[in-house]
Amino acid sequence: MFELLDLKQGSSYAGDIDQLILMITIITGVWFLLTAGMFFWLLFRFRAKKDESGQYVTGDEPQLKRWVTWPHMLILLCDIAVIVMAVNVWYTVKQDLPEADATIRIIAQQWAWTFVHPGPDGELDTPDDIRTVDRLYLQEGITYHYKLSSVDVLHDFSVPIFRLKQDAVPGREITGWFKPTVQGEYGIQCAEMCGIGHGIMGARLILQSASDHEFWIQSNSPTPVAQVTGQ
Amino acid sequence: MKWRNRVLGASLLLAAVGCVSGETQHERGEALYGYCEQCHGDAGQGNADFRTPAIAGLQDWYIEAQLQKFRIGARGDHPDDLDGLRMRPMSRTLATDGEVALVSAYVASLDPVDPPDTMVGGDPVAGRVLFNTCIECHGERAEGRRDKSAPSLLNQSDWYLVAQLHKFRSGIRGADTLDTTGIQMRPNALALENDQAVRDVVAYIETLDN
Ligand SMILES: [Cu+2]
């Protein structure tokens, strides 16, 4: 279904999120069709007829109450099913933190994203880090940790292709993870109202193959490689 | 009732035609400025709380050049340029070069407003000597020189001038290869020895306002 809508999945957990949304849509959809169908059928079945006057039904009798209590129980069961599935996905995306192959820093501000990529040494917060504005370069197929912060107000790091949204809170550094699974160029947005420029606070995500990414790192590092490795 | 609708329709049509043809370039520029107003103020006087400079009455060629720089990322594109990064997306709300020109002309037509002084610790006497090197490009009275692409420094917030000189010094502004005029300014900011020299020269520039 999501393939039909051409909503590309670009992270290891994008499929889990889509699956969850699909399940919720199906469960609520079935109930919606059932209740709406019932409603219209009742309207039709008990429509005004000649020689028949309406009557007031209190709904106290057990055989009438059943129409409310049984669906109620079934919906509670569905609720529990949805909660179990949701907690599962939530755990994978937000609570679990698989070992990182690389760590990046994301700094939100009104109205731009600054990305700090580890340089050739693979370590963050060293002089060879590569800082970019509004362009995030990542390698496909490896697990990233991100450290997200904001210098001014609330922002939200939203990457539709990853199915990831994470608030950036001033004064806090929030760690999370993702694992890109495709290559190409995609959008990043701010998903938390942050002032006059919120709507145009977009950035680009460039997902590269291992060799392309290596080349990008080598050609963009601010300090020469020789200096960093001490050669 | 029918004739009433017709009259109404005809007058609406006339009004619409009037709007399109009667709108001068100045009015177009003013309308575009509506967006800028929220930060730069209704008179272009700037706002220290938002860290926005006074732009009213700046030369139109300078405003236009700066807006284009913000648009292409030659200015306000450095990760440490927090204020520039706020102006940058705003410049991109202007859709075309034509809109950039219109809003620039409008801002240039506004009467300059001298923002209140906020800086302390600047010595205008020492600054006067330092300013000698600036005259070549910015003019005797800091009025700006088009042939040098150097803007007027008059009626500008002192904190903004200080901030820009520090940005030129650290390479946050004027270090981008696309910023051909900023590159000319940068060595002059670097020639100011320290923060005190920056304050002194700005203190002197502030005495030139009238
Ligand atoms: Cu934001």
Side-chain angles (χ1 to χ4, degrees):
Chain A
M1 176 185 160
F2 287 95
E3 289 74 31
L4 281 180
L5 293 172
D6 198 23
L7 296 176
K8 206 166 180 177
Q9 300 170 335
S11 75
S12 56
Y13 49 60
D16 299 343
I17 301 251
D18 287 354
Q19 193 75 26
L20 181 64
I21 291 175
L22 183 63
M23 288 310 295
I24 293 175
T25 311
I26 289 173
I27 291 174
T28 52
V30 165
W31 280 105
F32 171 75
L33 290 178
L34 268 179
T35 46
M38 186 75 185
F39 178 72
F40 284 109
W41 181 75
L42 287 175
L43 278 183
F44 177 76
R45 171 72 182 72
F46 297 104
R47 65 192 182 281
K49 292 196 193 92
K50 270 189 200 142
D51 324 320
E52 225 181 278
S53 59
Q55 50 171 311
Y56 180 69
V57 182
T58 57
D60 281 338
E61 300 85 342
Q63 81 268 24
L64 290 182
K65 264 197 197 159
R66 274 208 286 278
W67 287 90
V68 177
T69 41
W70 285 27
H72 187 185
M73 295 299 176
L74 288 173
I75 285 178
L76 279 181
L77 276 182
C78 292
D79 261 354
I80 292 170
V82 168
I83 289 171
V84 168
M85 289 186 292
V87 166
N88 238 331
V89 175
W90 179 265
Y91 178 81
T92 313
V93 178
K94 300 272 180 168
Q95 285 185 306
D96 191 25
L97 198 62
E99 189 108 356
D101 299 311
T103 304
I104 55 163
R105 192 178 291 288
I106 305 167
I107 303 152
Q109 76 149 87
Q110 286 174 322
W111 294 281
W113 300 97
T114 297
F115 301 109
V116 188
H117 311 73
D121 67 354
E123 297 286 326
L124 200 61
D125 300 328
T126 52
D128 71 341
D129 285 354
I130 305 168
R131 293 200 297 166
T132 55
V133 171
D134 287 351
R135 289 181 80 78
L136 173 59
Y137 291 83
L138 299 175
Q139 177 183 332
E140 170 219 16
I142 67 171
T143 301
Y144 282 93
H145 283 186
Y146 59 83
K147 296 186 175 298
L148 177 64
S149 58
S150 162
V151 300
D152 39 41
V153 299
L154 283 177
H155 298 275
D156 187 297
F157 181 67
S158 160
V159 190
I161 186 151
F162 286 173
R163 308 291 190 274
L164 172 66
K165 276 188 181 169
Q166 176 61 57
D167 272 4
V169 184
R172 273 177 67 185
E173 185 184 81
I174 295 169
T175 305
W177 75 283
F178 50 71
K179 181 176 177 183
T181 54
V182 292
Q183 293 177 26
E185 191 175 327
Y186 305 96
I188 295 173
Q189 329 164 312
C190 178
E192 178 64 55
M193 273 299 290
C194 60
I196 182 178
H198 167 64
I200 42 180
M201 188 173 162
R204 300 304 289 170
L205 167 66
I206 298 99
L207 296 175
Q208 303 171 304
S209 67
S211 54
D212 284 356
H213 192 60
E214 184 60 25
F215 179 75
W216 179 82
I217 290 178
Q218 297 299 344
S219 42
N220 284 278
S221 175
T223 40
V225 183
Q227 201 176 315
V228 173
T229 53
Q231 283 158 5
Chain B
M1 265 308 166
K2 251 193 185 156
W3 63 270
R4 258 198 172 179
N5 285 344
R6 276 199 206 136
V7 171
L8 190 69
S11 45
L12 276 178
L13 195 71
L14 275 176
V17 171
C19 276
V20 174
S21 58
E23 194 178 47
T24 61
Q25 302 232 320
H26 185 80
E27 281 161 356
R28 277 277 289 143
E30 184 173 9
L32 288 168
Y33 186 73
Y35 198 67
C36 327
E37 199 175 295
Q38 321 193 41
C39 293
H40 289 284
D42 50 1
Q45 73 274 34
N47 183 330
D49 291 338
F50 297 166
R51 297 193 57 77
T52 51
I55 52 174
L58 273 175
Q59 286 98 342
D60 55 357
W61 48 266
Y62 175 73
I63 301 171
E64 196 170 338
Q66 297 307 305
L67 289 173
Q68 294 294 8
K69 284 186 195 191
F70 281 117
R71 271 154 56 101
I72 62 169
R75 180 179 171 189
D77 185 50
H78 191 284
D80 292 327
D81 192 357
L82 297 190
D83 300 324
L85 283 171
R86 278 189 294 122
M87 177 56 211
R88 184 174 83 137
M90 300 305 135
S91 70
R92 294 177 180 178
T93 63
L94 301 165
T96 60
D97 291 349
E99 290 194 352
V100 172
L102 283 173
V103 78
S104 301
Y106 175 77
V107 174
S109 76
L110 295 171
D111 289 328
V113 192
D114 188 21
D117 293 347
T118 59
M119 187 185 65
V120 287
D123 174 8
V125 180
R128 184 185 187 128
V129 181
L130 294 168
F131 191 73
N132 280 332
T133 53
C134 322
I135 291 174
E136 179 201 347
C137 297
H138 288 281
E140 192 96 33
R141 301 200 54 79
E143 71 279 8
R145 281 183 58 171
R146 179 164 198 176
D147 58 336
K148 300 281 185 184
S149 307
S152 159
L153 304 174
L154 299 173
N155 301 306
Q156 186 54 276
S157 308
D158 46 16
W159 59 261
Y160 173 77
L161 294 175
V162 170
Q164 294 306 307
L165 286 168
H166 281 306
K167 284 186 193 183
F168 279 119
R169 284 163 62 81
S170 62
I172 288 176
R173 182 175 172 189
D176 195 299
T177 44
L178 295 171
D179 189 358
T180 45
T181 50
I183 287 169
Q184 295 165 32
M185 171 59 211
R186 199 166 167 224
N188 295 286
L190 281 166
L192 297 169
E193 222 169 300
N194 48 30
D195 180 54
Q196 188 58 48
V198 168
R199 281 167 191 276
D200 292 347
V201 76
V202 169
Y204 174 69
I205 293 169
E206 290 300 316
T207 65
L208 300 171
D209 295 336
N210 35 42

